[in-house]
Amino acid sequence: MKTRITDLFSIDFPVIAGGMVWCSGWRLASEVSRCGGLGLIGAGSMSPELLEEHIEKCRKATDKPFGVNIPLMNVNSAEHINVVIKHRVPVVVTSAGNPATHTERLKQAGCKVVHVVANCKFALKAQSAGCDAVVAEGFEAGGHNGKEETSTLVLVRQVADAVSIPVIAAGGIASGEQLAAVMALGAEGVQMGSAFAVCKESSAHPAFKQAVFASKEGDTKLFMRKLSPTRLLKGEFFDLIAEAEARGASSEELLSIIGTGRTKKGMFDGDLSMGELEIGQVASLIEREKTVEEIFCELKSGFAKAQQRLQNLSI
């Protein structure tokens, strides 16, 4: 399949694995790239030294293009930028910050730059900053979300109309049929997080993966709107936040409840009671652990089925 995204990244299939904290290490990134997509290393949970190690290991594991996701709000983001420039990483996906901060420097170093957005305003800002593409991420996504809470189907159509650079859809996508749906709206690729977060090559804890496989419709919810809207999977920490928000807890109280290290505790260490379990709405469609290769096979077959279904329709 050829789109502007496959051409931009020199990949075979327009699927990018999200650079998720505590899940997206070199093993996952290199395998996604080997299978024809674009694997991302998630810098958000790494020190600059650890990121450097993962980049080196990823490069040894595959000769295919890969990238690094850098949340700009992270305290180490400036050092992460230095690391990816030093190692000439082909693609950098930035999020949670101003796309103009580092884009020019990254592009001068030869990187393709993509920025994650949740509205048209920031999509246009990313385009003006020189970004090569944008990820339009709807509020179905796991983890941190946009304050507008715009769904993927609405957001992708709006952003595709607003910008001339390629649009990558994200949020609530885990099948080939969903890939076909967002491409019909103007996307030229997808970024998938949840499906890869719990695949075999992910570094997430097995207990977290099993909790996702056991989840049902409605088992994720968006919380912490006073801070940064975040989608969580049901659990004790989920209940703790729900109770605090129901009684009108202040931002300061919410911050004190969250504390530090919650996502590592839940997703990497497997503490399902007091850990923060970030996953998207699509969790209820994910029933078992799959390899990256299996995921790609199912994406391609699902996309073909969707194409056939549409061809059978008449106007």
Side-chain angles (χ1 to χ4, degrees):
M1 184 190 301
K2 284 184 67 64
T3 69
R4 286 191 293 171
I5 288 300
T6 58
D7 289 343
L8 179 66
F9 300 145
S10 298
I11 57 178
D12 299 323
F13 200 61
V15 171
I16 295 95
M20 303 156 288
V21 294
W22 305 114
C23 300
S24 302
W26 68 269
R27 288 185 180 85
L28 176 57
S30 62
E31 185 63 8
V32 170
S33 292
R34 186 192 70 80
C35 288
L38 183 75
L40 296 182
I41 297 169
S45 51
M46 297 182 183
S47 66
E49 295 76 20
L50 184 58
L51 173 60
E52 195 161 15
E53 178 183 330
H54 277 257
I55 291 170
E56 290 171 346
K57 288 182 175 179
C58 192
R59 188 155 271 146
K60 288 178 181 177
T62 182
D63 59 357
K64 302 289 188 180
F66 67 95
V68 172
N69 173 263
I70 301 177
L72 298 178
M73 66 178 180
N74 188 284
V75 294
N76 292 318
S77 62
E79 292 180 81
H80 288 154
I81 295 291
N82 291 336
V83 170
V84 298
I85 289 174
K86 173 185 174 182
H87 287 273
R88 299 184 179 276
V89 173
V91 182
V92 176
V93 178
T94 57
S95 59
N98 185 347
T101 307
H102 300 287
T103 295
E104 183 177 356
R105 183 171 169 231
L106 286 166
K107 294 198 70 174
Q108 286 175 349
C111 302
K112 298 291 192 300
V113 183
V114 182
H115 192 68
V116 181
V117 302
N119 57 47
C120 289
K121 175 184 175 182
F122 274 93
L124 289 165
K125 193 169 184 177
Q127 179 172 263
S128 296
C131 290
D132 296 286
V134 291
V135 174
E137 185 176 77
F139 93 124
E140 297 96 323
H144 297 282
N145 275 269
K147 293 184 181 294
E148 298 83 2
E149 299 184 22
T150 307
S151 69
T152 300
L153 289 183
V154 175
L155 181 65
V156 170
R157 181 65 258 163
Q158 289 177 337
V159 172
D161 282 343
V163 300
S164 60
I165 57 177
V167 175
I168 300 163
I173 301 166
S175 72
E177 290 86 350
Q178 290 165 317
L179 167 61
V182 294
M183 292 188 80
L185 296 173
E188 297 189 53
V190 296
Q191 178 175 284
M192 291 171 35
S194 298
F196 288 119
V198 294
C199 75
K200 183 176 181 180
E201 292 84 356
S202 165
S203 52
H205 195 281
F208 169 64
K209 293 181 182 182
Q210 289 302 320
V212 172
F213 303 147
S215 68
K216 300 293 187 292
E217 182 182 2
D219 281 354
T220 71
K221 189 173 179 180
L222 213 60
F223 284 115
M224 297 182 276
R225 289 173 174 85
K226 290 181 180 179
L227 303 172
S228 174
T230 307
R231 184 170 297 281
L232 303 177
L233 181 66
K234 282 186 176 178
E236 290 184 41
F237 177 66
F238 176 108
D239 294 338
L240 192 65
I241 292 293
E243 185 279 327
E245 291 197 343
R247 58 179 168 77
S250 65
S251 299
E252 292 73 21
E253 184 182 352
L254 288 172
L255 282 171
S256 69
I257 293 172
I258 295 168
T260 58
R262 287 276 189 184
T263 53
K264 179 179 184 294
K265 184 178 289 188
M267 300 170 70
F268 192 74
D269 297 335
D271 183 347
L272 303 185
S273 59
M274 285 294 103
E276 187 171 320
L277 311 177
E278 298 182 2
I279 201 74
Q281 273 188 341
V282 78
S284 60
L285 294 179
I286 305 170
E287 298 177 343
R288 65 178 179 85
E289 186 179 62
K290 301 172 185 177
T291 65
V292 168
E293 189 168 2
E294 283 182 282
I295 291 171
F296 270 85
C297 287
E298 291 181 7
L299 285 171
K300 291 174 183 178
S301 64
F303 185 85
K305 288 177 183 176
Q307 281 185 308
Q308 186 61 55
R309 191 176 295 127
L310 290 173
Q311 287 172 1
N312 291 338
L313 298 175
S314 59
I315 297 177

